[in-house]
Amino acid sequence: MNFLIKILYLISKMPLKILYIFSDIIFFLNYNFVGYRKKIITQNLKNSFPEKSAKEIAEIRKKFYLNFSDYLAETVKSFTMSKTETRVRMQHINQHLFHEAKQEGKNIILLAGHVFNWEWMNALATVVPQNNCHPVYRKVNSEFWEKQMKKVRSKFGNEALEANEVIMNIFRSKNDGDSIYLFVADQTPHSSHVNYGLEFLNQRTPAFIGYDKLATRMDMIFIYTEMKKVKRGHYQINYYRIEPDGEKFVNNEVVRKFHHLLENTIKKRPDNYLWSHRKWKYQDSIKTFDSEKI
């Protein structure tokens, strides 16, 4: 394992333009021969965009494979990417929202989707006034990869938290505007935890709702993160504050608004979304379905 780590970090130190050569090779092999999860990707796209032709679906799928290959290269690069390089490659829009939260004395829940490249969001810690940034991650089967990803997400002064411990950490911490919690909030809950679902991308969709407890119980600020790929290796992140319709959030309101914003983001550039994950595999396990359009 130590040898593998050394090799991984040596590769990570290569310039991105070199890593993108590896990305191109991965794309060529994947697209023409391997076809990683091709059936799942195709079916997810067909179900999400029933109005699109077979040719349009194929074009999105091809561009997805290109972006997915870049995502792998960029994730490896993130192991050793410097603070200076992240500032060149990541443009953060609407940073005033973080200063407003600091002035209001309210901690932030940052909600993002699996839009490329969400792994580079960790660089946010280098530009915000908050001292505590906590990327939230989920345990994976590989102890090796979990250790490496936690290490990557704890760069730049971040302190990564496992999903099962983050809610308790938030309740125990002072709500003083000095902390940010970064959720990739379109995770698929396990079948035994599918308590709520809604229509998302024309499908009955199980929704992770852990952060919704915070919206109804604590006076925190919720911010949606919109990732935009400007060009290869360069991203723009727009931040939007999510506001309740009434005086405060009601049950599942922030979940519905997050999915509405994410759906709009995906429709702008569908090839930038992670179509290879099995987001809709537990549709039949939904206990409470919200049929209201998001």
Side-chain angles (χ1 to χ4, degrees), residues 224-251:
Y224 173 67
T225 299
E226 182 174 64
M227 296 286 296
K228 178 183 177 182
K229 188 171 186 176
V230 179
K231 61 180 180 178
R232 203 175 204 185
H234 293 266
Y235 294 87
Q236 183 183 89
I237 310 180
N238 284 274
Y239 300 99
Y240 302 96
R241 185 163 175 170
I242 302 176
E243 301 280 8
D245 289 336
E247 189 174 322
K248 61 180 181 178
F249 287 110
V250 298
N251 288 339

Coordinates of all heavy atoms in Angstrom, one line a residue, residues 224-251:
Y224 N -26.7 27.1 -1.9 CA -26.5 26.1 -3.1 C -25.3 26.4 -3.8 O -24.9 27.6 -4.1 CB -27.7 26.2 -4.0 CG -27.6 25.4 -5.2 CD1 -27.5 24.0 -5.2 CD2 -27.5 26.0 -6.5 CE1 -27.4 23.2 -6.3 CE2 -27.3 25.2 -7.6 CZ -27.3 23.8 -7.5 OH -27.1 23.1 -8.7
T225 N -24.6 25.4 -4.2 CA -23.3 25.5 -5.0 C -23.5 25.0 -6.4 O -23.9 23.9 -6.6 CB -22.2 24.6 -4.3 OG1 -22.0 25.1 -3.0 CG2 -20.9 24.7 -5.1
E226 N -23.3 25.9 -7.4 CA -23.5 25.6 -8.8 C -22.1 25.6 -9.4 O -21.5 26.6 -9.6 CB -24.4 26.6 -9.5 CG -24.6 26.2 -11.0 CD -25.6 27.1 -11.7 OE1 -25.3 28.3 -11.8 OE2 -26.7 26.6 -12.1
M227 N -21.7 24.3 -9.8 CA -20.4 24.2 -10.5 C -20.6 24.4 -12.0 O -21.5 23.9 -12.6 CB -19.9 22.8 -10.2 CG -19.5 22.4 -8.8 SD -18.0 23.2 -8.2 CE -16.8 22.5 -9.2
K228 N -19.6 25.1 -12.6 CA -19.7 25.3 -14.0 C -18.3 25.1 -14.6 O -17.3 25.7 -14.1 CB -20.1 26.8 -14.3 CG -20.1 27.1 -15.8 CD -20.5 28.6 -16.0 CE -20.4 28.9 -17.5 NZ -20.8 30.4 -17.7
K229 N -18.2 24.2 -15.5 CA -16.9 23.9 -16.2 C -16.7 25.0 -17.3 O -17.4 25.0 -18.3 CB -16.8 22.5 -16.8 CG -15.5 22.1 -17.3 CD -15.4 20.6 -17.7 CE -14.0 20.2 -18.0 NZ -14.0 18.7 -18.3
V230 N -15.7 25.9 -17.1 CA -15.5 27.0 -18.0 C -14.7 26.4 -19.2 O -15.0 26.7 -20.4 CB -14.7 28.1 -17.4 CG1 -14.4 29.2 -18.4 CG2 -15.5 28.7 -16.2
K231 N -13.6 25.7 -18.9 CA -12.8 25.0 -19.9 C -12.1 23.9 -19.1 O -12.2 23.8 -17.9 CB -11.9 25.9 -20.6 CG -10.9 26.7 -19.8 CD -10.0 27.6 -20.6 CE -9.0 28.3 -19.7 NZ -8.1 29.2 -20.5
R232 N -11.3 23.1 -19.8 CA -10.6 22.0 -19.2 C -9.7 22.5 -18.1 O -8.8 23.4 -18.3 CB -9.8 21.3 -20.3 CG -9.5 19.9 -19.9 CD -8.7 19.2 -21.0 NE -8.9 17.7 -20.9 CZ -8.4 16.8 -21.7 NH1 -7.5 17.3 -22.7 NH2 -8.6 15.5 -21.6
G233 N -9.9 22.0 -16.9 CA -9.1 22.4 -15.8 C -9.4 23.7 -15.1 O -8.7 24.2 -14.2
H234 N -10.5 24.4 -15.5 CA -10.9 25.6 -15.0 C -12.4 25.6 -14.7 O -13.2 25.3 -15.6 CB -10.6 26.8 -15.9 CG -9.1 27.0 -16.1 ND1 -8.4 27.9 -15.3 CD2 -8.2 26.4 -16.9 CE1 -7.2 27.9 -15.7 NE2 -7.0 27.0 -16.6
Y235 N -12.8 26.0 -13.5 CA -14.2 26.0 -13.0 C -14.6 27.3 -12.4 O -13.8 28.0 -11.9 CB -14.4 24.8 -12.0 CG -14.2 23.4 -12.6 CD1 -12.9 22.9 -12.6 CD2 -15.3 22.7 -13.1 CE1 -12.7 21.6 -13.2 CE2 -15.1 21.4 -13.6 CZ -13.8 20.9 -13.6 OH -13.6 19.6 -14.2
Q236 N -15.9 27.5 -12.5 CA -16.5 28.7 -11.8 C -17.6 28.1 -10.9 O -18.4 27.3 -11.3 CB -17.1 29.6 -12.9 CG -17.7 30.9 -12.3 CD -18.4 31.7 -13.4 OE1 -19.6 31.5 -13.7 NE2 -17.6 32.6 -14.0
I237 N -17.6 28.6 -9.7 CA -18.6 28.2 -8.7 C -19.5 29.4 -8.3 O -18.9 30.4 -7.8 CB -18.0 27.6 -7.4 CG1 -16.9 26.6 -7.8 CG2 -19.1 27.0 -6.6 CD1 -16.3 25.9 -6.6
N238 N -20.8 29.3 -8.6 CA -21.7 30.3 -8.2 C -22.4 29.9 -6.9 O -22.8 28.7 -6.8 CB -22.7 30.6 -9.3 CG -22.2 31.4 -10.4 OD1 -22.1 32.6 -10.4 ND2 -21.6 30.7 -11.4
Y239 N -22.6 30.8 -6.0 CA -23.2 30.4 -4.7 C -24.5 31.2 -4.6 O -24.6 32.4 -4.9 CB -22.3 30.8 -3.5 CG -21.0 30.0 -3.5 CD1 -19.8 30.6 -4.0 CD2 -20.9 28.7 -3.1 CE1 -18.6 29.9 -4.0 CE2 -19.7 28.0 -3.1 CZ -18.6 28.6 -3.6 OH -17.4 28.0 -3.6
Y240 N -25.6 30.5 -4.2 CA -26.9 31.1 -4.1 C -27.5 30.7 -2.7 O -27.6 29.6 -2.4 CB -27.9 30.6 -5.2 CG -27.4 30.9 -6.6 CD1 -26.6 29.9 -7.3 CD2 -27.6 32.1 -7.2 CE1 -26.2 30.1 -8.6 CE2 -27.1 32.3 -8.5 CZ -26.4 31.3 -9.2 OH -25.9 31.6 -10.4
R241 N -28.0 31.7 -2.0 CA -28.6 31.5 -0.7 C -30.0 30.9 -0.9 O -30.8 31.5 -1.7 CB -28.6 32.8 0.1 CG -29.1 32.6 1.5 CD -28.8 33.8 2.4 NE -29.4 33.7 3.7 CZ -29.0 34.5 4.7 NH1 -28.1 35.5 4.5 NH2 -29.6 34.4 5.9
I242 N -30.3 29.9 -0.2 CA -31.6 29.3 -0.2 C -32.5 29.9 0.9 O -32.1 29.7 2.1 CB -31.6 27.7 -0.1 CG1 -30.7 27.2 -1.2 CG2 -32.9 27.1 -0.1 CD1 -30.4 25.7 -1.1
E243 N -33.6 30.5 0.5 CA -34.4 31.2 1.5 C -35.7 30.4 1.7 O -36.3 29.8 0.7 CB -34.7 32.6 1.1 CG -33.5 33.5 0.9 CD -33.0 34.0 2.1 OE1 -33.4 33.6 3.2 OE2 -32.1 34.9 2.1
P244 N -36.3 30.4 2.9 CA -37.6 29.7 3.1 C -38.7 30.6 2.5 O -38.6 31.8 2.4 CB -37.7 29.6 4.6 CG -36.9 30.8 5.1 CD -35.7 30.9 4.2
D245 N -39.8 30.0 2.2 CA -41.0 30.8 1.7 C -41.6 31.6 2.8 O -42.1 32.7 2.6 CB -42.0 29.8 1.1 CG -41.5 29.2 -0.3 OD1 -40.6 29.9 -0.9 OD2 -42.0 28.1 -0.6
G246 N -41.6 31.0 4.0 CA -42.2 31.7 5.1 C -41.1 32.2 6.1 O -40.0 32.6 5.6
E247 N -41.5 32.3 7.3 CA -40.5 32.9 8.3 C -39.4 31.9 8.5 O -38.2 32.4 8.7 CB -41.3 33.1 9.6 CG -40.4 33.9 10.6 CD -41.3 34.2 11.9 OE1 -42.4 34.6 11.7 OE2 -40.7 34.2 13.0
K248 N -39.6 30.6 8.4 CA -38.6 29.6 8.5 C -38.9 28.4 7.7 O -40.0 28.2 7.2 CB -38.4 29.2 10.0 CG -39.6 28.6 10.7 CD -39.3 28.2 12.1 CE -40.5 27.6 12.8 NZ -40.2 27.2 14.2
F249 N -37.9 27.6 7.5 CA -38.1 26.4 6.7 C -39.1 25.4 7.3 O -39.1 25.2 8.5 CB -36.8 25.6 6.5 CG -35.8 26.3 5.5 CD1 -34.6 26.9 6.0 CD2 -36.1 26.4 4.2 CE1 -33.8 27.5 5.1 CE2 -35.2 27.0 3.3 CZ -34.1 27.6 3.7
V250 N -39.9 24.8 6.5 CA -40.8 23.7 6.9 C -40.2 22.4 6.5 O -39.2 22.4 5.7 CB -42.2 23.9 6.4 CG1 -42.9 25.1 6.9 CG2 -42.2 23.8 4.9
N251 N -40.7 21.3 7.0 CA -40.1 20.0 6.6 C -40.0 19.8 5.1 O -40.9 20.0 4.4 CB -41.0 18.9 7.2 CG -40.9 18.7 8.7 OD1 -40.0 19.2 9.3 ND2 -41.9 18.2 9.3

